[in-house]
């Protein structure tokens, strides 16, 4: 039996991270360990584990995003399991079980990790750092990534520290071959309804048939600057937008009392995507800090990871996608009539004695409703760029969708005349 004191000393000597009391130590594991990981019953292990990393990747492929893939059992992963249970008709408790595991196996037809060789382009155009002061941000050429790890983290849906964890002793420089996760390219389909669950911090997209296509973790407003109420519509879509800071219209940062235009980039205030709503100055957008979605607060808007926001931007339709903000105490399950059943829709699943998952995959009460991955991407409409900070009066009634928006007007000359949103780059296999 291992000596816990000796194990702790060894962990400190090797520089292993040690999670909070009650969790398992953050022991090293490899991409091969993630591939070999099998579910043997019970909840996911505490701390960081190869099994949790595998489950996160499979959830990501299903369109039920866990946010960043980092191998840690945490709030965003639990909320993703809960959303996956909701979409498949399972009891909704957010806890891993044999039914969830077996249904996830339909997304495990190819390896969950892959090798990647870093290119010179991965190291190009990096910023030394991103200042917090908006006046200093406005002087920069772009809100670019600050490291190769950060850039690859967004490409492979990973926490940048997890890339380093899987590749100990490897310098992330052009020419180096590393192990990373293997997400699918962005899902395609047409989202006609977006439901925003403030209490559970999830954003779900549905097609015209009422089938859930995607579900993401989000930061949704704050107690000081709450998100809107009721139903609105998608008004604009801008890819890689700039951001206008206007202290007379939005929040005020100490020391900055004049309007400033922050250049585009993944580390900008709205990340790489702005989906503006018919509620002026509010929108759904990306974030420079994806791992903090369940910890940060927003200025009233809805923040997603940049890659989730990019995927959603390819599925919404200007004037054709309703965005519904649920009241406190109302969940997506309540709004869609998918309340949790008391028992699983199939008989109990017995796991083999060796701990590997059963081969048979049970049918859920309702079939999985995933978009056709072969469907042709829809053309992007030309954006009407606007800033993303909320109006000073969040309770003000929504204006006419076609009426002038002061923040849109502030950016009317930000892009060349006739600018058309470029198509999103497909994710690497």
């Amino acid at each position: 039996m291992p000596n816990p004191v000796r194990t702790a000393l060894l962990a400190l000597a090797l520089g292993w991270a040690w999670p909070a009391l009650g969790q398992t130590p953050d022991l090293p594991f490899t991409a091969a360990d993630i591939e070999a990981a099998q579910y043997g019953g019970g909840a996911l292990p505490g701390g960081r584990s190869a099994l949790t990393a595998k489950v996160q990747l499979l959830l990501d492929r299903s369109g039920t995003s866990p946010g960043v893939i980092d191998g840690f059992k945490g709030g965003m992963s639990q909320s993703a399991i809960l959303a996956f249970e909701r979409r498949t008709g399972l009891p909704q408790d957010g806890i891993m079980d044999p039914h969830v595991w077996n249904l996830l196996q339909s997304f495990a037809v190819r390896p969950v990790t892959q090798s990647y060789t870093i290119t010179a382009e991965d190291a190009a155009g990096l910023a030394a750092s991103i200042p917090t002061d908006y006046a200093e941000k406005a002087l920069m050429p772009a809100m670019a990534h600050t490291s190769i790890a950060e850039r690859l983290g967004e490409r492979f849906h990973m926490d940048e520290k997890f890339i380093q964890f899987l590749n100990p002793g490897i310098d992330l420089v052009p020419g180096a071959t590393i192990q990373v996760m293997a997400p699918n390219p962005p899902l395609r389909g047409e989202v006609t309804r977006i439901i925003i669950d403030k209490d559970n911090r999830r954003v779900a997209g549905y097609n015209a048939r009422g089938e859930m296509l995607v579900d993401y973790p989000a930061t949704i407003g704050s107690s000081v600057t709450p998100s809107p109420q009721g139903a609105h519509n998608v008004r604009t879509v801008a890819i890689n937008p700039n951001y206008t800071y206007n202290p007379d219209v939005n929040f005020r940062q100490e020391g900055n009392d004049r309007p400033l235009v922050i250049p585009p980039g993944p580390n900008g205030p709205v990340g790489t995507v702005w989906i503006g709503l018919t509620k002026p100055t509010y929108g759904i957008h990306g974030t420079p800090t994806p791992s903090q979605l369940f910890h940060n607060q927003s200025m009233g808007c809805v923040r997603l990871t940049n890659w989730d926001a990019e995927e959603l931007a390819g599925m919404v339709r200007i004037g054709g996608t309703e965005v519904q903000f649920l009241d406190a105490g109302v969940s997506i399950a309540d709004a869609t009539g998918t309340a949790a059943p008391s028992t699983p829709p199939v008989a109990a699943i017995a796991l083999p004695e060796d701990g590997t998952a059963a081969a048979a995959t049970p049918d859920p009460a309702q079939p999985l409703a995933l978009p056709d991955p072969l469907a042709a991407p829809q053309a992007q409409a030309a954006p009407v760029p606007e800033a993303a900070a909320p109006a000073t009066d969040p309770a003000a009634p929504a204006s006419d969708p076609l009426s002038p928006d002061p923040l849109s007007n502030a950016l009317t000359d930000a892009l060349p005349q006739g600018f058309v949103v470029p198509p999103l780059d497909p994710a690497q296999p």
Side-chain angles (χ1 to χ4, degrees):
M1 185 174 183
N3 185 316
V5 175
R6 182 178 299 170
T7 302
L9 292 174
L10 178 61
L12 291 174
L14 295 177
W16 297 343
W18 197 268
L21 187 64
Q23 292 187 335
T24 57
D26 189 14
L27 301 178
F29 57 82
T30 66
D33 294 327
I34 298 175
E35 294 291 349
Q38 293 294 326
Y39 176 68
L44 290 173
R48 179 152 46 187
S49 71
L51 176 61
T52 298
K54 188 171 190 174
V55 168
Q56 289 174 331
L57 188 280
L58 297 178
L59 286 166
D60 184 274
R61 285 181 179 176
S62 79
T64 317
S65 173
V68 293
I69 298 171
D70 59 6
F72 276 113
K73 174 185 178 182
M76 283 195 283
S77 295
Q78 181 178 357
S79 77
I81 292 175
L82 186 71
F84 187 79
E85 291 169 331
R86 169 167 31 85
R87 82 184 302 173
T88 54
L90 293 172
Q92 297 165 38
D93 57 11
I95 300 175
M96 191 67 191
D97 61 37
H99 296 279
V100 172
W101 174 256
N102 279 340
L103 288 174
L104 285 174
Q105 298 317 295
S106 61
F107 305 100
V109 295
R110 66 185 181 91
V112 296
T113 64
Q114 60 186 325
S115 296
Y116 178 77
T117 300
I118 299 173
T119 68
E121 289 75 16
D122 295 327
L126 300 175
S129 63
I130 303 294
T132 57
D133 185 87
Y134 275 31
E136 295 178 20
K137 289 179 188 286
L139 297 176
M140 298 183 66
M143 296 287 100
H145 292 119
T146 58
S147 68
I148 291 176
E150 184 183 32
R151 179 166 287 168
L152 297 183
E154 296 225 349
R155 184 176 305 165
F156 299 112
H157 304 184
M158 300 172 66
D159 181 75
E160 58 191 274
K161 294 180 181 178
F162 190 44
I163 293 180
Q164 297 167 333
F165 177 91
L166 286 183
N167 299 278
I170 298 179
D171 292 331
L172 302 184
V173 296
T177 298
I178 59 174
Q179 300 301 309
V180 293
M181 304 304 290
N184 283 341
L187 293 171
R188 292 302 186 218
E190 184 166 342
V191 169
T192 60
R193 183 189 185 192
I194 296 172
I195 303 178
I196 297 175
D197 185 338
K198 302 176 186 178
D199 289 349
N200 295 299
R201 290 169 288 182
R202 299 293 300 191
V203 173
Y206 293 80
N207 64 16
R209 297 186 298 275
E211 299 165 333
M212 192 182 95
L213 304 184
V214 289
D215 194 302
Y216 309 118
T219 295
I220 306 170
S222 68
S223 58
V224 177
T225 54
S227 58
Q229 297 179 334
H232 307 276
N233 213 294
V234 170
R235 182 174 183 264
T236 61
V237 176
I239 306 301
N240 206 31
N242 59 19
Y243 174 89
T244 292
Y245 164 78
N246 190 338
D248 296 329
V249 176
N250 309 307
F251 71 98
R252 182 177 293 270
Q253 186 183 56
E254 184 177 357
N256 288 317
D257 56 3
R258 61 186 180 86
L260 299 165
V261 176
I262 312 301
N267 273 315
V270 297
T272 58
V273 173
W274 168 253
I275 302 172
L277 307 183
T278 50
K279 175 77 170 177
T281 75
Y282 287 88
I284 302 170
H285 60 81
T287 180
T289 54
S291 64
Q292 299 301 308
L293 284 178
F294 269 24
H295 303 282
N296 286 346
Q297 295 184 328
S298 77
M299 302 301 293
C301 291
V302 178
R303 294 181 186 173
L304 309 176
T305 68
N306 282 335
W307 55 89
D308 287 342
E310 290 168 7
E311 181 176 72
L312 184 61
M315 305 174 84
V316 301
R317 298 295 169 262
I318 294 174
T321 301
E322 181 185 74
V323 180
Q324 179 184 4
F325 289 83
L326 300 180
D327 294 333
V330 180
S331 69
I332 294 174
D334 297 329
T336 57
T338 54
S342 57
T343 58
V346 295
I349 299 173
L351 294 174
E353 292 183 1
D354 62 2
T356 59
T361 299
D363 293 328
Q366 298 295 328
L368 287 174
L370 296 175
D372 181 2
L374 300 179
Q378 300 291 326
Q380 288 285 327
V384 181
E386 61 184 290
T392 46
D393 180 10
S399 63
D400 185 324
L402 300 180
S403 64
D405 180 343
L407 291 184
S408 292
N409 293 341
L411 285 177
T412 53
D413 297 324
L415 296 174
Q417 187 69 26
F419 177 83
V420 177
V421 176
L424 295 173
D425 292 333
Q428 294 211 0

